[in-house]
């Protein structure tokens, strides 16, 4: 499957968004205020976003929950249904663009769409094409027991198990190594 620059950016934005959600009542929200949302928009170079408000913040938090649900869906059919609902509610106006020096690609959000609808339309469509390409299993949750962060496995053989091999993967390798040594010596 060809993963275009825009699809990759959209997927990175979804993963980042899902991972801002607090794990429980004791952990802080990664999107605490409008400034944090503005920072998210800048970081992911999301185009055509107007002035952000409290309304935008609560709307983005709502769709964040829906994206998290798609990552957690038990099967493709459930995920497909959720993606359909998400994209339908956002409304779409597909159009070709070559903004900011990128090659021609299609944007889906309607002109003047809110940031929440923008993300739902374009990130929703990126996920839709992942399902079409038979790639849904690349949408993963980290297997480290105390992590569970969302990530997209873009490795050639879909073998990635941890959100970040330098932290989660490595941490587990060290733990397994220590356990083996303990067995050998004890
Ligand atoms: Zn674009
Ligand atoms: Zn992890």
């Amino acid at each position: 499957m060809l993963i275009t620059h825009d699809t990759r950016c959209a997927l990175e934005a979804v993963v980042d968004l899902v991972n801002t959600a607090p794990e429980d009542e004791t952990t802080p929200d990664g999107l605490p205020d409008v400034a944090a949302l503005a920072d998210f928009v800048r970081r992911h170079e999301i185009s055509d976003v107007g002035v952000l408000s409290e309304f935008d913040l609560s709307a983005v938090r709502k769709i964040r929950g829906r994206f998290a649900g798609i990552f957690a869906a038990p099967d493709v059919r459930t995920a497909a249904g959720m993606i359909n609902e998400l994209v339908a509610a956002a409304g779409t106006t597909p159009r070709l663009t070559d903004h900011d020096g990128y090659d021609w690609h299609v944007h889906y959000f309607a002109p003047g769409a809110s940031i929440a609808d923008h993300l739902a339309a374009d990130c929703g469509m990126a996920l839709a094409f992942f399902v079409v390409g038979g790639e849904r299993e690349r949408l993963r949750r980290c297997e480290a027991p105390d992590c569970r962060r969302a990530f997209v496995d873009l490795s050639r053989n879909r073998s990635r198990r941890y959100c970040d091999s330098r932290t989660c993967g490595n941490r587990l390798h060290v733990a397994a190594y220590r356990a083996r040594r303990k067995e050998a010596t004890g």
Side-chain angles (χ1 to χ4, degrees):
M1 172 187 180
L2 174 73
I3 297 169
T4 62
H5 165 82
D6 243 48
T7 303
R8 188 181 287 254
C9 289
L11 292 169
E12 280 170 7
V14 172
V15 165
D16 193 11
L17 179 64
V18 168
N19 286 334
T20 64
E23 268 167 55
D24 51 50
E25 294 88 72
T26 62
T27 49
D29 195 307
L31 275 185
D33 48 33
V34 175
L37 179 59
D39 201 52
F40 173 85
V41 166
R42 246 191 324 271
R43 211 162 51 238
H44 292 285
E45 296 176 9
I46 299 166
S47 55
D48 300 324
V49 176
V51 180
L52 298 166
S53 67
E54 289 291 332
F55 174 82
D56 288 313
L57 179 64
S58 73
V60 168
R61 281 180 176 167
K62 241 174 246 152
I63 62 150
R64 175 175 72 182
R66 302 184 71 167
F67 279 122
I70 293 165
F71 270 79
D75 51 59
V76 180
R77 187 163 298 279
T78 310
M82 292 168 120
I83 293 167
N84 280 344
E85 272 178 37
L86 183 73
V87 172
T92 50
T93 307
R95 67 194 178 285
L96 281 158
T97 170
D98 62 348
H99 69 96
D100 296 319
Y102 293 116
D103 281 342
W104 287 104
H105 60 281
V106 180
H107 279 178
Y108 294 92
F109 62 94
S114 69
I115 176 67
D117 283 347
H118 181 141
L119 290 171
D122 281 66
C123 297
M125 286 306 295
L127 295 178
F129 287 124
F130 243 52
V131 170
V132 170
E135 308 276 17
R136 194 193 76 100
E137 64 177 88
R138 290 188 191 271
L139 308 177
R140 301 251 172 92
R141 288 272 182 184
C142 179
E143 289 183 23
D146 52 349
C147 179
R148 308 298 294 155
R149 281 166 69 86
F151 71 92
V152 178
D153 178 9
L154 293 176
S155 70
R156 194 179 286 259
N157 55 0
R158 310 179 187 191
S159 58
R160 207 174 130 196
R161 295 170 57 203
Y162 307 108
C163 63
D164 179 346
S165 54
R166 274 178 310 240
T167 54
C168 283
N170 213 14
R171 197 154 47 84
L172 286 196
H173 284 151
V174 169
Y177 172 75
R178 289 217 180 103
R180 272 199 305 275
R181 268 183 61 120
K182 211 170 163 194
E183 235 164 61
T185 57

